[in-house]
Amino acid sequence: LSKTNLEVFGRRTRRESLCLRFADTTPVSSSVCVDQGQLALRTPNTPTPTPTHIEQTAKLLLGSACFVSWPYWRPGIVSAITNGEKRVTKDSQGGLSVRALTPAERSQHKEAGETQHSQWLQRAAVDINAVHTLIEVKALNNMVETARGALECAYDAQPLLVAAQTVSCQAALDTRFVTKPPPGVAARYGVGQQVVVMGD
C-alpha cells in the first residue's frame, strides 16, 4: 500500500492504494530490460544503456517494433534512445548517430523521467522506479492501403517519449495491425474478368 494520489474518474484519491512496483533498473544492479512479468522492455542479452553501452543497446532496438501505453499496447517503432548523457538515432545510411546532450537537454531528460514516474504512479498506481533511459517511439497512427493493394503501417511524425521500463517488445500484435504485401497479378486479374484499358 502506498499513498499515490491515484486519479479515479478525474479525482485524486486521499487514501492509500495497492501499488505495483517495478524492480530497480539502475545501471549497476540490472539491465534496461525488466522481467517479462512486468510491463517492460525485454530484449535478451541487452546491456544497460549506460554511457558506455547505449550504442550497443541502440543497435538492437532502433527501428524495432515495440508497444507502448499499457494496457492497450499501442504498436510503434523505436526511433531514438537517450540516457541523460547521449542521444542515439539512426543515420541516413542505417548506422548509428550518437550525440552528446547539451546541459539544457540533460535537464529536460531528468524532468521527463520524473514526469513519466509521477504519471504512471497517479494514473495506474504503478511505481516504475527511477527512470534512467527514455525511448522515443513513433506510434502507429493508421493502416494505409497502397495503390497496389498492400497494407502498410502509417506512424505519427512526432514521437512519444516514454520510460524504457514501460516499453514492451514481447506483446502479441493485434491482427488489425498486421501488414500485407500487394497481391500478385494472378490474384488481381482473373480470366474472363472485365477491365478498362487507359490509353493506347
Side-chain angles (χ1 to χ4, degrees), residues 27 48-55 81-89 97-111 113 131-136:
T48 308
T50 60
T52 56
H53 294 132
I54 189 171
E55 292 90 345
I81 301 177
T82 59
N83 65 352
E85 295 188 18
K86 296 180 180 180
R87 182 174 186 269
V88 186
T89 58
S97 175
V98 184
R99 179 177 63 81
L101 299 183
T102 64
E105 289 174 329
R106 292 185 182 187
S107 178
Q108 292 172 357
H109 177 94
K110 182 179 179 181
E111 291 177 3
V131 179
H132 302 284
T133 306
L134 293 173
I135 308 291
E136 292 182 27

Side-chain angles (χ1 to χ4, degrees), residues 111-122:
E111 291 177 3
E114 293 172 349
T115 299
Q116 285 284 309
H117 182 272
S118 62
Q119 285 180 345
W120 274 85
L121 201 57
Q122 293 174 6

Side-chain angles (χ1 to χ4, degrees), residues 52-63 78-81 86-99:
T52 56
H53 294 132
I54 189 171
E55 292 90 345
Q56 186 177 349
T57 302
K59 288 180 181 178
L60 296 174
L61 299 184
L62 286 179
V78 177
S79 60
I81 301 177
K86 296 180 180 180
R87 182 174 186 269
V88 186
T89 58
K90 276 192 174 182
D91 59 26
S92 58
Q93 304 299 321
L96 296 184
S97 175
V98 184
R99 179 177 63 81

Side-chain angles (χ1 to χ4, degrees), residues 62-80:
L62 286 179
S64 299
C66 66
F67 301 86
V68 295
S69 301
W70 177 85
Y72 307 106
W73 283 143
R74 186 179 178 188
I77 296 291
V78 177
S79 60

Side-chain angles (χ1 to χ4, degrees), residues 19-25 34 38-39 112-121 124-132 134 162-166:
C19 181
L20 173 65
R21 181 177 176 82
F22 279 11
D24 187 16
T25 57
V34 192
Q38 299 169 342
L39 319 174
E114 293 172 349
T115 299
Q116 285 284 309
H117 182 272
S118 62
Q119 285 180 345
W120 274 85
L121 201 57
V126 175
D127 183 354
I128 63 175
N129 218 307
V131 179
H132 302 284
L134 293 173
V162 296
Q165 299 98 302
T166 65

